[in-house]
Amino acid sequence: MTNTIIPFSLKDAPALIERLLPVQKLSAEAYKEQMANQGKTLNALGSYWKGRKPLILAKACVLGCLLPVTDDPARDLEIFEMLMGMDIYSLEKRLEDKNDKESSFILGLHRTVGNRSSYRTWVAAASRPEECDNSLFDHIWDKVNTHLGTSAYSFSELVEQLGVMRYGHRPSVADTFSGSGQIPFEAARLGCEVEASDLNPIACMLTWGAINIIGGSQKSRIALVENQKELVRRVQADIDALGVEVDDIGWRAKAFLYCVEVRCPQSGWMVPLMPSFIISTSRKAIARLVPDYNRKRYGIQINSGVDDQIMIEAAKGTIQREGKYGEAFLVHKINGIEYKTKISTLRGDYQKHDGSAGNQLRLWDKQDFMPHPDDILQERLYCIQWMRPKPTGKSYNYEFRSVTVADEHREQLVEAFLAKHITEWQTNGWLPDMRIEIGGPPRYQGLDLIRARGWTHWHHLFNPRQLLLNGLVNKYATSAVLRLSVCQTANFNSKLSRWNSGPGVDAVIDTFYNQALNTIYNYGSRSSRNITNQIATDYKSFPLPVSSSVECRPAHQIFTPHDIFITDPPYGDAVKYEEILDFFIAWLRKNPPPEFADWVWDSRRALAIQGEGEDFRRGMVAAYKRMTECMPDNGIQVIMFTHQSGAIWADMSNIVWAAGLQVTAAWYVATETESALRAGSHVKGTVLLVCRKRQGSYKTTRDDLAWEIQEEVEAQVQVLTGLNQEAKGLYRDENVFEDADIQMAGYAAALRVLTRYATIDGRDMTAEALRPRVKGETTFVDGLIGFAVDTANQCLVPQGIAKQHWDKLSGAERFYLKLLNLEARGAKTLDNYQNFAKAFKVRDFKALLASHKANNARLKSAVEFGRAEMSEGSELYQSVLRAVLYAMMELAKNLDSNEVLAHLTLNIPNYYGDMTQRELAIDLADYLARELETLRPEEASAARIVRELIRNQRLG
Ligand SMILES: C[S@@+](CC[C@H](N)C(=O)[O-])C[C@H]1O[C@@H](n2cnc3c(N)ncnc32)[C@H](O)[C@@H]1O
């Protein structure tokens, strides 16, 4: 007899992600991965891609969809954490793997005195699970198998077995908005059959690269390295043959620095436009303008090793910004006279009859690759960074030098070469010849390129040297695996690639440092030697266990069935992929290799889902409807979206409803990076909306819904708070779920009930959800969601406030009271405030905050409110809470208590007519006194006095 375990069916079992997800720990892991920047597994394929979703999040989604919930949720959670490398034993291994000072310290402390730091601290010091080898999971498989009834010793085996239990086969996962391929790659790495698709061919290429390069076999990797070397060799050989990068004494150019130059209309001088003259902070190198009075122009001299004072002075260039919007001015001084002209004046900006902007710049032609001699904006080489191997041969010596006649001659060689070959190279597809399409409102990223420079075609974003070098890379990078290098090269070698003179940097950096294509005044151009690392990239390697496919098509055209869809659709004001990726499409669209030949090499804007309005919703519904049709009845979907505002939340709920889906859970994972945190209030996280196909066509009424929602929410809240109790002690008193998570789960529970129904109060909900919106109108669906959310909120009444009082409070009052409760427990992150503002529908929650800092937000104290928020425009207007806070402020300012009480009775509407108003005031003052005890003891005491004043007041 064999010992084979007969799999039991999970066909209709709820998935783990529908009940549990350790969002706090997951947030810490996601954050760690986002912070890795260049160290991210797929980043080297295209560092220009914005908005990569963390792989660890994708892993959680895939496993969460496959794992079942059992009658032992605590154990379910433990097993899940083991599979994620998040259990304590895995964390120890991850710290060992990191093996540096910090990780050793934490580990040492843990092992000797049992000091356990917070989960976040451990994760910050440890390696990421994917950085460790498979032995990280050696200890888990027996436990996993016992719990799940499986016999797996790898993820691929586990995923296959869970797939068989649920769907009868290895599970298939699709992502129809694959972008850079993060989700499909992770699903494939876990052992799912994967189909990825995207409308944009650059996204498809990155996804293809994730699967076939990072996920390629060892054999393919060896071939790739050979191909890369050959590409570098050929490019280098052609450049060397032209003799345009080496000087007479054997130094090789590393970088060329260029700037725009214009004639100052006041002085008649040609002036180089440079925001700063600093060339290198480390080498104390600067550019110095040397007036040439005869020619009315400046020579540019490069000096290295200058003193600190000169460095300080050099920070101020000929471009200076002024005013609220940082308007740019050209500023220079001749014979003691300072000349200052707006850049907009130089360009001759004016407003056309139709109100749009125009200027005097000449629009460039398709054959142009540099300014015409009579153009307003000229370009000029002003410095070259040279390199030469040290005598030891181990590293290089570097020098920054002024431009010589010989250098200018080499520039002319490049220009002559291009003049001769541009048409041929464009025809062959080695150089772009694609127009910059404006097609649309001014949000279009390319608008600045046309307005600020007169550039009309994508190749105008590259100077002659860049066209030569990038064109050679494009010419020789014919195989699919090498096509990715063409984009990386373009990204690091365009007229939008900044020169970074920061300490220890001295490098030409990427065009896509942010998600906009903005023109700059001075930039760096790389030499062939300096572009090598963008071509011969040392990619990470994770050979995938199963093969996957990548398709280039709009999401609503998917036709193959899949068990699970995990998608991260485009939304609202996020990255305009369909616009900025033309920068790359222009380089790649001709001569695609066979692997990419069936893709449409165009961004197909008309089909791209974008914006937030009707088109966006229609596009999304069409896509999700189609996916739902391609899913079996027990299929599952996870939809990710950035949590920004209540509007997006309501929109997404509408979309899934109209698509025939039913929400079964929602989670909020903080995925922002520290730079986003530093940027201030735009703290972002990701909402995971878990959905199933809506079955049957159930009907209900609004009245019945109330009970159902309440029960569902209460049950969900209980599970999560219960798990918090069990988790205590694992790490220093940490909650697995924080209030915002519980609240999110509460919302989800409400949506779960709502979206179960096809008809509510006799209305067809699909039609309702699709109904076009009139601005400012609250639709029936909005009303229902609001009602559901309100019900969910009822379950989150802070302790110490009577439910009947809570029910009477406005959103702003609830917000203040709830957040005070969280502050008293140490919460400070702005996203908490955002979440609750959304939950309590507070329009302007910032008016109630004393600090909006991302990591250090805080409510206003009574004294800080002063006399504000008392008038009609305020959300606290005529509220009992505001009146109590006002009284506390007056007491803190030593006002006579009789006067304070008199004001209070005036500030609370119907104080004498409605006794419950008085009781509410007592209750709130009592609550404030307790919550403020440690936060602000003086105010706590004022609150106690208010409470007693009301209690002891003699009424009529
Ligand atoms: C938010 S991104 C996905 C990012 C991805 N998850 C990642 O981690 O890189 C959304 C993607 O949807 C694509 N897209 C926009 N409209 C589309 C449509 N109608 N059909 C398919 N893909 C579309 C965009 O090209 C973009 O790549």
PDB file of all heavy atoms in Angstrom, residues 705-719:
ATOM      1  N   LEU A 705     -31.487  44.573   4.517  1.00  0.00           N
ATOM      2  CA  LEU A 705     -30.030  44.666   4.416  1.00  0.00           C
ATOM      3  C   LEU A 705     -29.405  45.105   5.725  1.00  0.00           C
ATOM      4  O   LEU A 705     -28.336  44.640   6.102  1.00  0.00           O
ATOM      5  CB  LEU A 705     -29.653  45.701   3.350  1.00  0.00           C
ATOM      6  CG  LEU A 705     -29.595  45.203   1.909  1.00  0.00           C
ATOM      7  CD1 LEU A 705     -29.349  46.378   0.990  1.00  0.00           C
ATOM      8  CD2 LEU A 705     -28.475  44.183   1.759  1.00  0.00           C
ATOM      9  N   ALA A 706     -30.090  45.999   6.419  1.00  0.00           N
ATOM     10  CA  ALA A 706     -29.515  46.566   7.636  1.00  0.00           C
ATOM     11  C   ALA A 706     -29.084  45.470   8.598  1.00  0.00           C
ATOM     12  O   ALA A 706     -27.956  45.451   9.092  1.00  0.00           O
ATOM     13  CB  ALA A 706     -30.525  47.487   8.297  1.00  0.00           C
ATOM     14  N   TRP A 707     -29.988  44.522   8.827  1.00  0.00           N
ATOM     15  CA  TRP A 707     -29.676  43.448   9.774  1.00  0.00           C
ATOM     16  C   TRP A 707     -28.535  42.597   9.282  1.00  0.00           C
ATOM     17  O   TRP A 707     -27.626  42.247  10.026  1.00  0.00           O
ATOM     18  CB  TRP A 707     -30.917  42.575   9.997  1.00  0.00           C
ATOM     19  CG  TRP A 707     -32.008  43.350  10.646  1.00  0.00           C
ATOM     20  CD1 TRP A 707     -33.154  43.792  10.078  1.00  0.00           C
ATOM     21  CD2 TRP A 707     -32.014  43.809  12.005  1.00  0.00           C
ATOM     22  NE1 TRP A 707     -33.892  44.499  10.964  1.00  0.00           N
ATOM     23  CE2 TRP A 707     -33.221  44.532  12.166  1.00  0.00           C
ATOM     24  CE3 TRP A 707     -31.120  43.703  13.072  1.00  0.00           C
ATOM     25  CZ2 TRP A 707     -33.565  45.118  13.364  1.00  0.00           C
ATOM     26  CZ3 TRP A 707     -31.472  44.295  14.271  1.00  0.00           C
ATOM     27  CH2 TRP A 707     -32.679  44.997  14.410  1.00  0.00           C
ATOM     28  N   GLU A 708     -28.651  42.294   8.005  1.00  0.00           N
ATOM     29  CA  GLU A 708     -27.662  41.380   7.439  1.00  0.00           C
ATOM     30  C   GLU A 708     -26.252  41.980   7.514  1.00  0.00           C
ATOM     31  O   GLU A 708     -25.287  41.324   7.902  1.00  0.00           O
ATOM     32  CB  GLU A 708     -28.030  41.138   5.977  1.00  0.00           C
ATOM     33  CG  GLU A 708     -27.916  39.685   5.587  1.00  0.00           C
ATOM     34  CD  GLU A 708     -28.238  39.525   4.115  1.00  0.00           C
ATOM     35  OE1 GLU A 708     -29.278  40.043   3.661  1.00  0.00           O
ATOM     36  OE2 GLU A 708     -27.429  38.893   3.429  1.00  0.00           O
ATOM     37  N   ILE A 709     -26.188  43.258   7.155  1.00  0.00           N
ATOM     38  CA  ILE A 709     -24.883  43.928   7.175  1.00  0.00           C
ATOM     39  C   ILE A 709     -24.333  43.946   8.594  1.00  0.00           C
ATOM     40  O   ILE A 709     -23.177  43.614   8.847  1.00  0.00           O
ATOM     41  CB  ILE A 709     -24.990  45.364   6.623  1.00  0.00           C
ATOM     42  CG1 ILE A 709     -25.250  45.313   5.122  1.00  0.00           C
ATOM     43  CG2 ILE A 709     -23.748  46.169   6.919  1.00  0.00           C
ATOM     44  CD1 ILE A 709     -25.543  46.665   4.490  1.00  0.00           C
ATOM     45  N   GLN A 710     -25.195  44.277   9.514  1.00  0.00           N
ATOM     46  CA  GLN A 710     -24.751  44.365  10.903  1.00  0.00           C
ATOM     47  C   GLN A 710     -24.169  43.032  11.393  1.00  0.00           C
ATOM     48  O   GLN A 710     -23.090  43.003  11.978  1.00  0.00           O
ATOM     49  CB  GLN A 710     -25.920  44.771  11.775  1.00  0.00           C
ATOM     50  CG  GLN A 710     -25.461  45.310  13.104  1.00  0.00           C
ATOM     51  CD  GLN A 710     -26.574  46.126  13.731  1.00  0.00           C
ATOM     52  OE1 GLN A 710     -27.380  46.737  13.015  1.00  0.00           O
ATOM     53  NE2 GLN A 710     -26.632  46.137  15.032  1.00  0.00           N
ATOM     54  N   GLU A 711     -24.877  41.982  11.113  1.00  0.00           N
ATOM     55  CA  GLU A 711     -24.399  40.661  11.550  1.00  0.00           C
ATOM     56  C   GLU A 711     -23.059  40.325  10.928  1.00  0.00           C
ATOM     57  O   GLU A 711     -22.137  39.873  11.584  1.00  0.00           O
ATOM     58  CB  GLU A 711     -25.396  39.590  11.115  1.00  0.00           C
ATOM     59  CG  GLU A 711     -26.381  39.240  12.194  1.00  0.00           C
ATOM     60  CD  GLU A 711     -27.441  38.315  11.650  1.00  0.00           C
ATOM     61  OE1 GLU A 711     -27.134  37.459  10.790  1.00  0.00           O
ATOM     62  OE2 GLU A 711     -28.601  38.468  12.072  1.00  0.00           O
ATOM     63  N   GLU A 712     -22.968  40.585   9.632  1.00  0.00           N
ATOM     64  CA  GLU A 712     -21.754  40.233   8.895  1.00  0.00           C
ATOM     65  C   GLU A 712     -20.555  41.032   9.434  1.00  0.00           C
ATOM     66  O   GLU A 712     -19.487  40.502   9.667  1.00  0.00           O
ATOM     67  CB  GLU A 712     -21.973  40.550   7.415  1.00  0.00           C
ATOM     68  CG  GLU A 712     -20.884  40.047   6.508  1.00  0.00           C
ATOM     69  CD  GLU A 712     -21.196  38.675   5.926  1.00  0.00           C
ATOM     70  OE1 GLU A 712     -22.280  38.147   6.232  1.00  0.00           O
ATOM     71  OE2 GLU A 712     -20.348  38.150   5.193  1.00  0.00           O
ATOM     72  N   VAL A 713     -20.780  42.320   9.630  1.00  0.00           N
ATOM     73  CA  VAL A 713     -19.696  43.171  10.101  1.00  0.00           C
ATOM     74  C   VAL A 713     -19.264  42.731  11.492  1.00  0.00           C
ATOM     75  O   VAL A 713     -18.070  42.578  11.772  1.00  0.00           O
ATOM     76  CB  VAL A 713     -20.134  44.657  10.131  1.00  0.00           C
ATOM     77  CG1 VAL A 713     -19.083  45.516  10.798  1.00  0.00           C
ATOM     78  CG2 VAL A 713     -20.406  45.155   8.733  1.00  0.00           C
ATOM     79  N   GLU A 714     -20.222  42.496  12.335  1.00  0.00           N
ATOM     80  CA  GLU A 714     -19.866  42.133  13.707  1.00  0.00           C
ATOM     81  C   GLU A 714     -19.066  40.837  13.723  1.00  0.00           C
ATOM     82  O   GLU A 714     -18.067  40.717  14.430  1.00  0.00           O
ATOM     83  CB  GLU A 714     -21.118  42.029  14.573  1.00  0.00           C
ATOM     84  CG  GLU A 714     -21.452  43.395  15.150  1.00  0.00           C
ATOM     85  CD  GLU A 714     -22.830  43.490  15.771  1.00  0.00           C
ATOM     86  OE1 GLU A 714     -23.499  42.455  15.914  1.00  0.00           O
ATOM     87  OE2 GLU A 714     -23.242  44.622  16.091  1.00  0.00           O
ATOM     88  N   ALA A 715     -19.482  39.897  12.911  1.00  0.00           N
ATOM     89  CA  ALA A 715     -18.762  38.622  12.873  1.00  0.00           C
ATOM     90  C   ALA A 715     -17.325  38.837  12.418  1.00  0.00           C
ATOM     91  O   ALA A 715     -16.372  38.329  13.007  1.00  0.00           O
ATOM     92  CB  ALA A 715     -19.486  37.661  11.933  1.00  0.00           C
ATOM     93  N   GLN A 716     -17.167  39.649  11.387  1.00  0.00           N
ATOM     94  CA  GLN A 716     -15.825  39.885  10.847  1.00  0.00           C
ATOM     95  C   GLN A 716     -14.936  40.602  11.866  1.00  0.00           C
ATOM     96  O   GLN A 716     -13.793  40.239  12.092  1.00  0.00           O
ATOM     97  CB  GLN A 716     -15.943  40.720   9.577  1.00  0.00           C
ATOM     98  CG  GLN A 716     -14.630  41.154   8.983  1.00  0.00           C
ATOM     99  CD  GLN A 716     -13.973  40.067   8.156  1.00  0.00           C
ATOM    100  OE1 GLN A 716     -14.437  39.720   7.094  1.00  0.00           O
ATOM    101  NE2 GLN A 716     -12.894  39.507   8.650  1.00  0.00           N
ATOM    102  N   VAL A 717     -15.514  41.603  12.502  1.00  0.00           N
ATOM    103  CA  VAL A 717     -14.744  42.363  13.482  1.00  0.00           C
ATOM    104  C   VAL A 717     -14.318  41.458  14.630  1.00  0.00           C
ATOM    105  O   VAL A 717     -13.182  41.504  15.112  1.00  0.00           O
ATOM    106  CB  VAL A 717     -15.566  43.578  13.986  1.00  0.00           C
ATOM    107  CG1 VAL A 717     -14.896  44.248  15.170  1.00  0.00           C
ATOM    108  CG2 VAL A 717     -15.759  44.578  12.860  1.00  0.00           C
ATOM    109  N   GLN A 718     -15.211  40.573  15.003  1.00  0.00           N
ATOM    110  CA  GLN A 718     -14.877  39.671  16.107  1.00  0.00           C
ATOM    111  C   GLN A 718     -13.723  38.734  15.765  1.00  0.00           C
ATOM    112  O   GLN A 718     -12.828  38.508  16.560  1.00  0.00           O
ATOM    113  CB  GLN A 718     -16.092  38.847  16.478  1.00  0.00           C
ATOM    114  CG  GLN A 718     -16.775  39.434  17.697  1.00  0.00           C
ATOM    115  CD  GLN A 718     -18.147  38.857  17.875  1.00  0.00           C
ATOM    116  OE1 GLN A 718     -18.412  37.739  17.423  1.00  0.00           O
ATOM    117  NE2 GLN A 718     -19.029  39.606  18.501  1.00  0.00           N
ATOM    118  N   VAL A 719     -13.748  38.190  14.546  1.00  0.00           N
ATOM    119  CA  VAL A 719     -12.659  37.285  14.144  1.00  0.00           C
ATOM    120  C   VAL A 719     -11.328  38.020  14.244  1.00  0.00           C
ATOM    121  O   VAL A 719     -10.365  37.525  14.823  1.00  0.00           O
ATOM    122  CB  VAL A 719     -12.862  36.780  12.691  1.00  0.00           C
ATOM    123  CG1 VAL A 719     -11.633  36.033  12.212  1.00  0.00           C
ATOM    124  CG2 VAL A 719     -14.082  35.902  12.605  1.00  0.00           C
TER     125      VAL A 719
END
